[in-house]
Amino acid sequence: QSALTQPPSASGSPGQSVTISCTGTSSDVGGYNYVSWYQQHPGKAPKLMISEVNKRPSGVPDRFSGSKSGNAASLTVSGLQAEDEADYYCSSYAGGNNLVFGGGTKLTVL
Amino acid sequence: QVQLKQSGPGLVKPSQTLSLTCAISGDSVSSDSTIWNWVRQSPSRGLEWLGRTYYRSKWFYDYAPSVRSRITVNPDTSRNQFSLQLNSVTPEDTAIYYCARGKMATGFDYWGQGSLVTVSS
């Protein structure tokens, strides 16, 4: 069982916005501004899309944004495109040498 | 451009040692500003951080509690790579193993291509 809770699936039509949630505890998501989001296409390695709650690495479209409130973080994908269809994972630093991941959300572009 | 290229056997027998190598280009395993990690992914356990090594005037090694008694991550400065050894494997260790660059706090920005390792007799 994953330490962070994500919905198993999410969907939206092209051009729409979709938000994926990631719920943890005060020991991880709520305790640090160190939430990351990864995109993973089938058969590929994860790709970092958001770091430190809301920072986009170079090359990541600004359609991707992150936020956090209390023990929950969110990833919003605006202006959905076909290539956004993938699995998305959140992770959070949890103190010491602890890193926890979510179970993943399959995003379908209808 | 940083690239991580993984190598190692895809099949390991139970009780034996899983060994993988991650060759680095575009960066240095001895860099004092980054960290080198191993992460695995399986249907039953999801994504799981396993361990890391990094250099800050000396080498440091950190491991996940779940595998601490069985894991070793080692740098190889002569070949600019780092390795993973996981001892006494069981079928539960069957997973896709990834090497990755980055810090827990800021995320892993470069990943290897992944290595499917199956533990089976």
Side-chain angles (χ1 to χ4, degrees), chain B residues 40 77 85 92:
Chain B
R40 69 181 176 183
T77 57
Q85 285 196 313
E92 279 285 302

Side-chain angles (χ1 to χ4, degrees), chain B:
Chain B
Q1 175 77 347
V2 176
Q3 289 188 326
L4 304 179
K5 186 171 183 179
Q6 300 176 218
S7 60
L11 180 64
V12 182
K13 289 182 167 52
S15 80
Q16 295 193 342
T17 297
L18 180 160
S19 296
L20 295 172
T21 298
C22 182
I24 303 163
S25 58
D27 200 343
S28 170
V29 71
S30 303
S31 167
D32 62 1
S33 62
T34 196
I35 296 176
W36 304 99
N37 305 268
W38 288 98
V39 177
R40 69 181 176 183
Q41 184 175 29
S42 67
S44 59
R45 303 173 72 97
L47 283 164
E48 180 182 15
W49 175 80
L50 298 176
R52 64 185 179 186
T53 187
Y54 56 98
Y55 186 75
R56 301 290 187 269
S57 301
K58 67 174 185 177
W59 287 102
F60 290 85
Y61 312 90
D62 297 309
Y63 303 121
S66 61
V67 295
R68 182 170 291 135
S69 63
R70 302 192 289 131
I71 188 174
T72 303
V73 177
N74 270 329
D76 181 346
T77 57
S78 64
R79 294 187 171 95
N80 199 31
Q81 62 188 28
F82 63 109
S83 64
L84 167 70
Q85 285 196 313
L86 189 64
N87 303 324
S88 304
V89 296
T90 72
E92 279 285 302
D93 295 309
T94 294
I96 299 173
Y97 287 76
Y98 293 99
C99 57
R101 186 188 85 161
K103 303 175 184 177
M104 287 183 176
T106 52
F108 302 145
D109 56 357
Y110 288 96
W111 294 66
Q113 80 274 23
S115 299
L116 174 60
V117 180
T118 301
V119 179
S120 174
S121 54

Side-chain angles (χ1 to χ4, degrees), chain A residues 38-58:
Chain A
Y38 297 91
Q39 177 191 67
Q40 186 177 35
H41 286 109
K44 300 295 187 182
K47 175 186 176 183
L48 182 64
M49 304 301 283
I50 296 288
S51 71
E52 296 180 82
V53 176
N54 56 17
K55 296 180 180 178
R56 275 189 315 277
S58 175

